[in-house]
C-alpha cells in the first residue's frame, strides 16, 4: 500500500504487517479490559503485558515503511532508519523482502516483505491472462516478490520508477554516504516494557 501527496514523497507500507498490528492491539485491549475488571488487584501488574505487546506491534509491524523521493530511498525498520541516496544504489532485489543493494552492503526493508505461498497465489490470480502468459515466457521470469499486488512488488515498483526518473534526469552513481539512524527511544521503551511484562508474569500469584 502506498500514499502520495502532491509534491510529497511516496510512502509504501505493508498491508499484511499493519493487519497484524491491528489484531495485536485488539488482543491487547481485550487483555487489558479483562485485567482491569479482575477482582484480585494483584493481577493489575500484568497490565505490563498488553502494553508491551502494543509497543512491539507498533515497532515491528506498524511503523516500518519505505519512503521514496527524488533524492533517496528511505527504509524505516523496527530498530533503525536507513536513507540511501540514489547515487549509492546499485540494484534492487525482492527475494525475501525489498532490499536495496549498494557497494557497501544490502539494506532490507521490513516494511515491504516478500509474499508467502498464499500471497504469491493470490497475486498471480489477480493478474490478467495475457500478463500471466508474458510472465511465463523464458525471458521474463520474475520472483514472487516482484509480483503486482504484493508488498515487496509494490514497493520495488515505486523504487525502480523513481530510480529510473533520477537516472534519466542525469543522475550518476557516486560515493554517496548511506545515513543510518537508530531508534534508540523506541528500542529502549520496547525493551523496558517487555522486561517489565516478563517480570509481572513471573511474579503473578
Amino acid at each position: 500500500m502506498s500514499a502520495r501527496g502532491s509534491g510529497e514523497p511516496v510512502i509504501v507500507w505493508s498491508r499484511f504487517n499493519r493487519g497484524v498490528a491491528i489484531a495485536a492491539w485488539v488482543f491487547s485491549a481485550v487483555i487489558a479490559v479483562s485485567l482491569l475488571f479482575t477482582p484480585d488487584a494483584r493481577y493489575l501488574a500484568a497490565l505490563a503485558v498488553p502494553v508491551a505487546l502494543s509497543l512491539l506491534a507498533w515497532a515491528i509491524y506498524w511503523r516500518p515503511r519505505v519512503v521514496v523521493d527524488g533524492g533517496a530511498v528511505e527504509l524505516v525498520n523496527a530498530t533503525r532508519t536507513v536513507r540511501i541516496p540514489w547515487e549509492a544504489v546499485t540494484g534492487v532485489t525482492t527475494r525475501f523482502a525489498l532490499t536495496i543493494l549498494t557497494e557497501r552492503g544490502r539494506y532490507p526493508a521490513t516494511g515491504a516483505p516478500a509474499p508467502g505461498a498464499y500471497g504469491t497465489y493470490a497475486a498471480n490470480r489477480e493478474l490478467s491472462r495475457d500478463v500471466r502468459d508474458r510472465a511465463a515466457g523464458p525471458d521474463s521470469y520474475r520472483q514472487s516478490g516482484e509480483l503486482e499486488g504484493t508488498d515487496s512488488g509494490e514497493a520495488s515498483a515505486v523504487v525502480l520508477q523513481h530510480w529510473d526518473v533520477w537516472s534519466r534526469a542525469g543522475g550518476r552513481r557516486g560515493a554517496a554516504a548511506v545515513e543510518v539512524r537508530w531508534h534508540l527511544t523506541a528500542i529502549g521503551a520496547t525493551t523496558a516494557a517487555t522486561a517489565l511484562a516478563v517480570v509481572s508474569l513471573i511474579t503473578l500469584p
Side-chain angles (χ1 to χ4, degrees):
M1 181 66 69
S2 63
R4 182 199 298 265
S6 178
E8 297 178 355
V10 179
I11 303 173
V12 186
W13 62 85
S14 168
R15 290 165 293 188
F16 174 78
N17 283 1
R18 291 205 163 183
V20 172
I22 292 172
W25 290 336
V26 171
F27 182 63
S28 298
V30 172
I31 295 175
V33 171
S34 300
L35 291 172
L36 288 173
F37 285 94
T38 183
D40 192 338
R42 292 177 298 177
Y43 283 91
L44 291 178
L47 283 171
V49 174
V51 171
L53 181 59
S54 296
L55 283 174
L56 288 170
W58 171 79
I60 297 174
Y61 292 105
W62 186 270
R63 186 183 191 183
R65 60 190 182 274
V66 178
V67 184
V68 185
D69 58 38
V73 52
E74 186 172 271
L75 312 178
V76 182
N77 294 332
T79 59
R80 67 180 185 176
T81 292
V82 182
R83 184 171 177 82
I84 309 167
W86 294 120
E87 291 88 345
V89 177
T90 60
V92 177
T93 184
T94 58
R95 183 177 180 184
F96 300 111
L98 171 70
T99 302
I100 307 301
L101 310 179
T102 71
E103 291 184 353
R104 296 194 174 185
R106 303 160 62 94
Y107 299 93
T110 58
Y118 177 78
T120 301
Y121 171 76
N124 274 315
R125 281 184 60 86
E126 291 180 0
L127 296 176
S128 62
R129 181 179 299 275
D130 63 316
V131 171
R132 289 199 300 269
D133 290 343
R134 290 199 303 272
D139 298 324
S140 56
Y141 172 76
R142 294 190 302 170
Q143 296 178 344
S144 60
E146 298 174 331
L147 294 173
E148 292 86 349
T150 64
D151 294 327
S152 54
E154 291 187 2
S156 65
V158 172
V159 169
L160 291 172
Q161 179 183 18
H162 279 72
W163 191 21
D164 181 64
V165 170
W166 173 81
S167 298
R168 290 177 181 273
R172 293 292 182 270
R173 188 182 305 171
V178 175
E179 179 185 353
V180 179
R181 303 190 306 274
W182 291 93
H183 304 157
L184 298 180
T185 301
I187 293 172
T190 52
T191 300
T194 302
L196 185 59
V198 171
V199 171
S200 68
L201 290 175
I202 293 175
T203 57
L204 279 177

